[in-house]
Amino acid sequence: MTARTSLPRRAAAELIGTTGLLVVVIGSGLKAAELSADTGVALIANSFVSAIGLGLIITLFGPLSGAHLNPVVTLTSWWTRRTGGEGVGGREVPVYVAAQTAGAIGGAVLAEAMFGRTPGAFATQVLDGGHLLVGEVIATAGLVLVIQGLGRIGRARLIPVAVAAYIAAAIWFTSSGSFANPAGTIGRSFSDSFTGIAPGSLPGFVAAQLFGGIVGLALAAFLYGSGAKGREAAPGPGAPAVPAPLPATGPADGASPDRDAYRTIG
């Protein structure tokens, strides 16, 4: 079902979606650590559940707000609009980012409370070192490239499963564990668990993620062109027509951004 959604409702979708994402990431980490003392086993469980949860959340909230759930995704969407493509407008960016950050913190506190832990305790896991920051740049650049690339070739319907698969893989192939989300990183500083990050490590991680977003945009522009509107790829035999690319913005009448990309293929 296609929704025509006002900015407040889109902000609510971003807040609730990001809350759910952090509950899934932190909650699955806490449960995995509870059931196994083997860090590798716990990480397998955490990455698997996080990917499933992320894909479901994007599918559910995509038709409402685009399911950015991540300030880097919102900022790259805004930049795409500035360069002639489709994306969120300037007045929507701070609303989205505030909703995502509040949702991430709320999700972390909720996950901690759900497992009988003291909500609001800061993480003590220090993540520093240049190699971890390189990992965050790569993780975030890859995420942006997946979203922008699929949108520009007219395959936006694949974004939920592609992003979920990418994050599951990036948790393993990056040195940092692929936080790749400034709001999520801030939220995870409120969980003293193996998925957490000490507040003192936040500036470096957030800076690396923002830089990774720029790298991802540059790669997308280099590979697919500056992309003033996403191009549709020629469909294969019997394939349905492909919708406009993700991310997109709602028009002045309040229609939800990106919603057409999530319509069920008939």
Side-chain angles (χ1 to χ4, degrees):
M1 181 177 184
T2 300
R4 300 183 73 80
T5 314
S6 65
L7 180 56
R9 289 182 63 194
R10 281 184 271 149
E14 288 294 304
L15 186 148
I16 296 168
T18 313
T19 297
L21 176 60
L22 268 290
V23 168
V24 168
V25 171
I26 295 175
S28 64
L30 291 172
K31 189 68 173 181
E34 196 177 86
L35 296 176
S36 175
D38 188 317
T39 303
V41 172
L43 188 58
I44 289 173
N46 177 241
S47 59
F48 180 70
V49 174
S50 296
I52 292 175
L54 177 58
L56 290 172
I57 290 169
I58 294 174
T59 300
L60 180 62
F61 292 102
L64 296 174
S65 67
H68 294 184
L69 314 174
N70 184 335
V72 169
V73 175
T74 298
L75 288 169
T76 53
S77 173
W78 166 77
W79 182 256
T80 300
R81 178 170 178 169
R82 279 181 57 89
T83 55
E86 297 180 351
V88 296
R91 76 182 183 93
E92 297 167 299
V93 171
V95 176
Y96 269 49
V97 171
Q100 292 156 359
T101 304
I105 294 172
V109 171
L110 183 58
E112 291 281 303
M114 182 170 61
F115 280 86
R117 295 158 61 93
T118 302
F122 287 115
T124 56
Q125 180 173 227
V126 176
L127 299 175
D128 55 16
H131 65 295
L132 297 180
L133 301 184
V134 170
E136 276 303 284
V137 171
I138 292 172
T140 313
L143 174 63
V144 170
L145 182 58
V146 167
I147 295 171
Q148 291 281 325
L150 287 172
R152 294 184 190 203
I153 64 174
R155 291 291 184 264
R157 286 191 179 108
L158 298 178
I159 286 174
V161 67
V163 168
Y166 173 79
I167 291 298
I171 287 173
W172 282 91
F173 75 71
T174 62
S175 57
S176 62
S178 185
F179 286 48
N181 181 338
T185 304
I186 292 170
R188 286 163 74 161
S189 71
F190 286 82
S191 175
D192 193 14
S193 63
F194 89 88
T195 59
I197 177 173
S201 301
L202 291 179
F205 263 57
V206 171
Q209 290 157 1
L210 293 174
F211 181 66
I214 295 171
V215 172
L217 275 176
L219 287 172
F222 173 73
L223 293 171
Y224 303 106
S226 59
K229 303 276 183 187
R231 299 184 302 276
E232 289 190 356
V242 180
L246 177 80
T249 187
D253 64 1
S256 168
D258 312 328
R259 66 190 190 282
D260 290 340
Y262 296 90
R263 285 178 174 169
T264 303
I265 299 175

